[in-house]
């Protein structure tokens, strides 16, 4: 990638619609577009002020391609920091392609995925963690993940990291200064103040690292495996939770062979429900594979939900125990939520019996949609949303998480060095390493491979 | 629909992308958006000039929904002619929905399909045929249909109709004036000049009506049925023409049971290829249904293309005649293009024999892609693109076509009246009818049902 040329891409989703936007960015953006645009008022684009809109035609010689609205942004007052033109054209795939091809013939290059945001980063319009938040923001599907991405995009996370990095850098400079005066045995860096800073950094890093567990859940949704014997109504419950007909529901035991994943938002938090095949003994090869997959999915889920048929439990109150024990023995640490379905088929005394027999049993009827809302509330209680409510910085990105882990490791080495009264030259090495990992997050220290990796996950046009 | 309220809709295609645009139009567009937008520079949207762009946040109370770019258009200098705001936000479905819901809570109404363009029409920003061209433009998929839609959107067609209507209206007024002076037996409208105008109108109407045949083809693509015995390589030819693996190709005769339609653009013109099952005698029920469908498809197509296996023709030079006769006897008027495939399996003398036996036979190898380009050229020659090249007005809309037919009918009645020296009062009735049909096209005369019909076919947001 060279960053001297002018790039073009469709910035709106592909397909037909009322309007599409073609984005052009680079030093020559305005000079390339100007001769291809005939303003309704004979205005020369090159002489128009930044942040103005102009109606006219995109022309290829004498041939009019489309009537468009052109937005002008003069660098550095643009998304990329470069001269930028946004062409708002009619939303036809044909027109989009014709205009993009015209621009390419006239000196633009087709942009790669994320290249506009990459340029924004390279031109200092945002740091790396803010750039990453742009992609998160676009893919956010619920209130919580949106809120975290917005906070990160607006620099909440970066500011915290940058502040710590700056304080650490000040001490590093003082300690390194001591090295120049090594023979004189002076201490420019006050060791008590430094210990206070190290403790503070450790506390913040630990908080950020701990936030990743909830951050990851908020970003990706909390995975819940719904497990149970065939025909207990897993697909029906999934449908009731999703409020739509998503899974194939049938009376034949063993209908659901593939696992079905879907996400719903409860109280702004995403929950990924994984509907699995049951775990009864079977001779059917395909179903055996399904059972193996069920165990795999429970392993990946944060919560296992065992779904029982209330009628069956009444008939044989010990049968369900076998099921529970199977899961508990395999996954002793995993929270297990036991739910009895089909309570619409029971009378009041049977329900009382059920409640007496099994403590903490959640009763519901997926078919009648009774007890489903209460189940949603119970699921929500599994997530500690305190950090979210308090607007704390939450780490959601595994790249940041790894950098934070490494930074903490180095800071702990510095702590150890302080405890052992190590000399400044030795302390300085570990401090530099910690600074390096802080810099990785915000992009002050980076390399082309990392950048390539990050921006390849963006969509074209962003 | 009321046109006093302020409407909102997503104007870009649904789905994730870099940017989405939410369009707000109506008297209160700016006053509704202003308090929900916090400009980076503390600017008040209500005080900003038209055609300017502003960076800021969309806020719901203290909660920031997104960082957006807002475009302002003061009516009547906007698409709809009303005050308009376009909010360019991040392309996430979640954000789109949140912003649209926020706007609805603050006094906007969700726009109906085509409602922005309907308002543009009602506010005199475009006439009805221009509004219809907007939908055509968005759905245009090749150069020809795009060119026609652009011409119509820019008023080419309307201007021609309006000019004729105005001239006719002048004469109508003069003739109606004569009625007021009936007792004095004066002629304000010169009958010779009137005859000249009528002749001119007849000529133009006939030209426009005739253009519909080509216009319809250019808009919808020319349908071509590919017919032939099983295993002659219809699907392979379709693939070669489409340059992609679209149909299922196999060695087993009778693979293609469903008809497959696809469109390609040759020289800017759309061709719709309809791959059909063969027409050999068969006892297989499903294949018999395929043969019935083949005949149906030939009936609907403009051109039938009979595809033969060159090797088979060599073996039995009369076999192919049976095929040709079957089609010719059923569809005597339909152009039939006979093509021999698999010539890669023949030697030079066999090819010479083939050419001698069957005049006008097109030889090709779909597999080796030999003769495919020549076939495309041959297909192109079926379309008279003169009108398109000469930039003549071409009618593509069946509503316009019907109105033109009716207008011509009335004009012919006027002609008849002139021939019979009918009095002005009788002439005036037919003139008024012709004027009515002209007005239907441009929307000067219309009713809510017609408008509802036209705009219901638009996408939401346009």
């Amino acid at each position: 990638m060279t960053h001297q040329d002018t790039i073009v891409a469709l910035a709106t989703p592909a397909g037909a619609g009322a309007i599409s936007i073609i984005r052009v960015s680079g030093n020559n953006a305005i000079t390339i577009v100007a001769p291809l645009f005939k303003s309704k008022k004979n205005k020369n684009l090159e002489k128009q002020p930044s942040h103005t809109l102009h109606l006219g035609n995109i022309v290829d010689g004498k041939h009019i391609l489309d009537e468009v609205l052109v937005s002008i942004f003069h660098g550095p007052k643009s998304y990329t920091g470069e001269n930028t033109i946004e062409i708002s054209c009619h939303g036809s795939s044909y027109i989009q392609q014709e205009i993009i091809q015209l621009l390419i013939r006239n000196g633009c290059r087709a942009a790669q995925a994320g290249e506009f945001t990459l340029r924004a980063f390279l031109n200092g319009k945002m740091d790396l963690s803010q750039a990453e938040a742009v992609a998160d923001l676009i893919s956010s599907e619920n209130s919580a993940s949106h809120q975290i991405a917005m906070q990160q995009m607006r620099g909440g996370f970066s500011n915290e990291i940058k502040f710590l990095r700056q304080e650490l850098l000040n001490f590093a400079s003082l300690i390194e200064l001591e090295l120049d005066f090594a023979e004189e045995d002076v201490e420019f860096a006050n060791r008590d103040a430094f210990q206070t800073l190290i403790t503070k950094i450790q506390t913040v890093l630990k908080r950020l690292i701990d936030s990743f567990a909830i951050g990851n859940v908020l970003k990706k949704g909390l995975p819940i495996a719904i497990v149970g014997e065939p025909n207990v109504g897993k697909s029906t419950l999934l449908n009731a939770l999703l409020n739509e007909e998503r899974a194939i529901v049938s009376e034949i035991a063993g209908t659901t062979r593939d696992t079905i994943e879907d996400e719903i938002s409860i109280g702004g938090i995403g929950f990924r429900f994984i509907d699995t095949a049951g775990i009864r003994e079977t001779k059917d090869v395909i179903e055996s594979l399904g059972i193996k997959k069920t165990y795999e999915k429970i392993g990946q889920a944060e919560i296992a939900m065992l779904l029982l048929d209330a009628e069956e439990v009444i008939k044989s109150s010990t049968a369900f125990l076998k099921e529970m024990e199977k899961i508990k023995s395999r996954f002793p640490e995993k929270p297990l939520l036991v739910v009895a379905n089909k309570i619409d088929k029971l009378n009041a005394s049977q329900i009382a019996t059920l409640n007496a027999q099994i403590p903490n049993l959640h009763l519901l009827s997926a078919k009648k949609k009774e007890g489903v809302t209460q189940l949603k509330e119970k699921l929500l209680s599994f997530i500690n949303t305190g950090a979210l409510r308090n607007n704390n910085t939450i780490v959601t990105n595994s790249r940041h998480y790894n950098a934070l882990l490494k930074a903490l490791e180095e800071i702990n080495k510095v702590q150890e060095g302080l405890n052992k009264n190590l000399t400044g030259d030795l302390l300085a090495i570990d401090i530099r390493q910690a600074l390096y990992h802080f810099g990785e997050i915000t992009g002050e220290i980076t390399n082309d491979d990392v950048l390539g990796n990050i921006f390849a996950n963006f969509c074209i046009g962003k």
Side-chain angles (χ1 to χ4, degrees), chain A:
Chain A
M1 287 193 209
T2 152
H3 304 294
Q4 303 305 310
D5 48 2
T6 296
I7 52 174
V8 60
L10 182 68
T12 45
I19 302 177
S20 291
I21 292 179
I22 292 163
R23 200 182 238 181
V24 186
S25 179
N27 283 339
N28 299 325
I30 299 169
T31 45
I32 288 174
V33 175
L36 306 174
F37 175 78
K38 293 285 168 251
S39 150
K40 292 277 167 183
K41 294 186 176 168
N42 272 322
K43 288 184 283 192
N44 179 352
L45 271 199
E46 297 198 61
K47 291 179 181 162
Q48 303 309 313
S50 187
H51 289 63
T52 55
L53 288 150
H54 307 276
L55 184 66
N57 290 321
I58 290 290
V59 292
D60 181 8
K62 283 185 177 175
H63 182 54
I64 296 176
L65 281 184
D66 196 12
E67 188 175 293
V68 303
L69 202 62
V70 159
S71 309
I72 301 181
F73 305 88
H74 292 165
K77 283 169 57 188
S78 71
Y79 180 73
T80 56
E82 304 169 333
N83 284 339
T84 299
I85 293 274
E86 287 183 3
I87 300 171
S88 177
C89 65
H90 283 91
S92 120
S93 304
Y94 176 78
I95 290 174
Q96 293 157 14
Q97 285 313 311
E98 289 291 306
I99 294 177
I100 289 172
Q101 283 168 18
L102 175 69
L103 289 166
I104 289 174
R105 283 199 303 278
N106 282 273
C108 292
R109 171 170 66 72
Q112 295 176 31
E115 201 170 355
F116 292 93
T117 307
L118 173 62
R119 290 188 172 198
F121 163 67
L122 293 173
N123 293 325
K125 298 291 289 188
M126 54 179 79
D127 70 35
L128 200 53
S129 90
Q130 287 175 304
E132 287 170 299
V134 172
D136 286 350
L137 190 66
I138 289 174
S139 65
S140 67
E141 285 178 355
N142 60 53
S143 166
S145 58
H146 168 253
Q147 190 181 329
I148 295 171
M150 275 302 289
Q151 193 201 43
Q152 187 178 327
M153 203 182 75
R154 299 181 63 231
F157 179 48
S158 312
N159 290 341
E160 199 154 8
I161 293 296
K162 278 180 194 158
F163 180 75
L164 294 180
R165 187 172 189 265
Q166 193 52 52
E167 288 200 59
L168 193 58
L169 197 58
N170 291 343
F171 267 95
S173 309
L174 290 174
I175 285 175
E176 285 172 8
L177 197 61
E178 291 173 7
L179 303 182
D180 295 338
F181 297 85
E183 290 160 16
E184 297 168 41
D185 193 26
V186 290
E187 264 193 17
F188 293 113
N190 179 303
R191 290 299 185 267
D192 287 341
F194 189 51
Q195 176 59 58
T196 308
L197 174 64
I198 292 297
T199 308
K200 182 176 155 194
I201 291 177
Q202 284 172 323
T203 310
V204 172
L205 286 181
K206 278 177 193 160
R207 175 169 60 71
L208 290 174
I209 288 167
D210 287 346
S211 80
F212 182 67
I214 177 82
N216 205 35
V217 162
L218 294 178
K219 187 174 172 183
K220 296 183 178 169
L222 187 82
I224 301 174
I226 310 183
V227 194
E229 291 296 309
N231 214 23
V232 295
K234 296 186 300 295
S235 302
T236 315
L237 176 60
L238 193 71
N239 286 342
L241 286 166
L242 290 175
N243 246 337
E244 60 182 5
E245 294 299 313
R246 174 76 168 70
I248 310 145
V249 187
S250 96
E251 286 296 311
I252 308 150
T255 302
T256 310
R257 279 188 181 142
D258 288 309
T259 59
I260 299 170
E261 296 214 4
D262 219 325
E263 186 165 333
I264 56 169
S265 173
I266 304 176
I269 312 284
F271 287 82
R272 265 190 303 121
F273 286 96
I274 306 162
D275 177 21
T276 70
I279 52 171
R280 68 167 178 185
E281 303 304 325
T282 177
K283 283 174 185 165
D284 182 303
V285 177
I286 298 176
E287 241 181 69
S288 298
L289 288 174
I291 291 170
K292 188 164 168 253
K293 223 170 174 178
T294 295
Y295 282 123
E296 271 172 40
K297 290 286 174 182
I298 297 175
Q300 292 158 14
E302 290 282 330
I303 300 171
M305 187 197 293
L306 174 61
L307 192 61
L308 305 169
D309 182 329
E311 273 189 313
E312 298 296 321
V313 179
I314 288 285
K315 280 183 201 161
S316 153
S317 63
T318 53
F320 81 94
L321 284 169
K322 200 177 150 199
E323 293 263 344
M324 263 180 81
E325 286 317 309
K326 268 191 199 172
I327 299 171
K328 280 206 168 170
S329 65
R330 270 194 180 240
F331 305 99
E333 303 292 317
K334 188 95 45 188
L336 177 64
L337 190 63
V338 187
V339 178
N341 188 20
K342 307 190 186 178
I343 56 157
D344 52 305
K345 292 183 176 174
L346 303 188
N347 59 38
S349 86
Q350 285 175 313
I351 289 178
T353 310
L354 217 54
N355 271 326
Q357 282 174 333
I358 312 153
N360 295 323
L361 180 68
H362 186 89
L363 299 171
L364 58 77
S365 162
K367 201 171 168 188
K368 305 272 179 195
K369 301 200 176 171
E370 284 167 17
V372 175
T373 307
Q374 291 82 343
L375 180 63
K376 287 183 178 179
E377 282 162 12
K378 205 166 268 182
L379 291 171
L380 204 51
S381 71
F382 278 92
I383 296 182
N384 173 11
T385 54
L388 194 63
R389 272 196 309 277
N390 296 331
N391 217 15
N392 283 349
T393 303
I394 294 172
V395 178
T396 60
N397 185 307
S398 55
R399 196 182 69 79
H400 301 169
Y401 176 67
N402 287 327
L404 290 168
L405 281 179
K406 285 179 193 157
L408 181 60
E409 200 177 304
E410 299 301 333
I411 287 292
N412 286 343
K413 282 188 199 162
V414 175
Q415 175 70 69
E416 217 174 298
L418 275 177
N419 293 348
K420 290 180 183 167
N421 278 314
L422 282 193
T423 53
D425 51 345
L426 292 172
L427 285 178
I429 295 170
D430 293 332
I431 295 174
R432 282 283 155 198
Q433 277 300 315
L435 284 169
Y436 175 86
H437 295 302
F438 280 127
E440 274 186 326
I441 294 173
T442 53
E444 278 147 22
I445 292 154
T446 186
N447 66 56
D448 282 354
D449 282 352
V450 172
L451 289 185
N453 247 324
I454 292 170
F455 289 98
N457 293 323
F458 274 65
C459 55
I460 302 275
K462 192 67 211 180

